[in-house]
Amino acid sequence: MHYRIGLLRALSILFCASLMLACTAQTPREEAANSAPQPESSQHHTVALLGATGMVGGYLLEAALRRGYTVRALARNPAKLAQFGRRITIITGDARDPAVIRELLLGSDVVVSALGPVKADGDASRLINTTVTRNVLEAMPSEDISLYIAVSGAAVVMPGDQRNLLGWWIRTLAQVGLRGALQDKQAEYDLLADSDVNWTLVRCPLIDPEPFDSPPLVSLKTPPAFRVRAGEVAQFMMKQLDARDFVRQGPFLGSRDLGI
């Protein structure tokens, strides 16, 4: 264990040094078309939201309500969402239970997920993403839902990736320090790729608990930054409910002006 932690720290130091040497190199980026916050949506959606009590999930919930969407949010502890009162419908239960997912999706037209492993759950959090995504895929047809947008990791590999030094280091660090979570998220991608639904996996590097500042950097080839703001992730995902620019793709996100 001590060897693994020491190796991870050593890799992090080497990553920072290498990035400084490469900071003048141009990285391939496909930046968002607009630099201003997106206007409120003119379309109405009923959103089935997973991970609503988490960091990104909280921003997703707020962004959905600002756009006037109806939100059905899943929570094991509904008290964590009590502040929203009657503005949302809270489904109480565990996302690993297929019956709970079926109840969550009732009357919804899109599924949005910011679900991830919780340390306090210990071994119970293993394979959380593949388990829940499998439940979602099985429940979507009965509600005629075709769109599933979820947060994933920047270390997940998809066809067409052309990782630069930054992208390579992000994947290497995840393989060393987050191997179990990476395997889970990679398997989640495989499930979606084999399905017939319209999905978007938003591949994020280190996520900072900060609000929206400007539209994030977006790339289909390599992570454009080492960090991304949670509020910017949420805004990007909400935009995709209507824009659908990345159907059956995994865009990388990153934020401007965030240090390592």
Side-chain angles (χ1 to χ4, degrees):
M1 177 63 73
H2 291 299
Y3 168 78
R4 189 174 182 181
I5 294 173
L7 179 58
L8 180 58
R9 288 176 177 170
L11 285 170
S12 299
I13 293 170
L14 285 172
F15 164 74
C16 294
S18 299
L19 190 59
M20 288 177 185
L21 290 174
C23 66
T24 57
Q26 187 71 29
T27 58
R29 293 179 178 179
E30 299 168 24
E31 296 190 6
N34 301 314
S35 58
Q38 295 301 312
E40 305 302 320
S41 173
S42 60
Q43 300 186 42
H44 182 79
H45 293 286
T46 297
V47 179
L49 180 59
L50 291 155
T53 60
M55 178 175 58
V56 175
Y59 282 107
L60 283 167
L61 178 51
E62 293 172 357
L65 292 175
R66 280 198 301 271
R67 288 170 171 254
Y69 298 158
T70 298
V71 177
R72 295 175 61 83
L74 179 61
R76 286 185 296 177
N77 182 1
K80 291 184 177 181
L81 299 176
Q83 60 180 313
F84 294 98
R86 297 183 179 180
R87 299 172 65 198
I88 65 174
T89 298
I90 302 174
I91 309 300
T92 304
D94 193 315
R96 291 166 293 193
D97 184 344
V100 171
I101 292 296
R102 288 194 296 270
E103 182 180 0
L104 174 68
L105 267 58
L106 285 175
S108 302
D109 62 282
V110 295
V111 183
V112 177
S113 176
L115 201 64
V118 178
K119 288 184 179 180
D121 289 345
D123 289 343
S125 67
R126 293 180 65 248
L127 303 179
I128 182 69
N129 289 94
T130 47
T131 299
V132 174
T133 291
R134 185 179 291 109
N135 291 342
V136 170
L137 291 175
E138 291 175 353
M140 287 174 68
S142 63
E143 295 299 320
D144 197 27
I145 301 172
S146 63
L147 183 62
Y148 182 34
I149 302 177
V151 175
S152 188
V156 171
V157 173
M158 296 186 189
D161 288 356
Q162 297 177 23
R163 292 175 183 266
N164 59 9
L165 177 63
L166 172 64
W168 181 83
W169 269 113
I170 287 175
R171 177 160 172 78
T172 300
L173 291 171
Q175 287 175 314
V176 174
L178 300 169
R179 181 176 293 274
L182 174 57
Q183 291 174 340
D184 182 25
K185 289 185 178 294
Q186 189 69 52
E188 178 186 39
Y189 161 70
D190 293 337
L191 277 176
L192 290 168
D194 290 339
S195 74
D196 295 325
V197 306
N198 294 327
W199 53 267
T200 299
L201 278 183
V202 182
R203 290 187 282 178
C204 298
L206 181 65
I207 302 177
D208 281 11
E210 297 183 8
F212 181 88
D213 181 76
S214 61
L217 303 168
V218 185
S219 173
L220 287 172
K221 297 178 181 179
T222 191
F226 189 65
R227 296 161 65 190
V228 66
R229 296 178 178 89
E232 294 173 7
V233 175
Q235 291 287 350
F236 176 85
M237 293 175 71
M238 284 294 109
K239 179 184 176 183
Q240 293 310 306
L241 267 60
D242 294 333
R244 306 197 180 192
D245 297 321
F246 300 97
V247 173
R248 298 186 67 85
Q249 293 180 312
F252 294 103
L253 298 191
S255 288
R256 300 170 174 83
D257 305 323
L258 279 180
I260 297 174

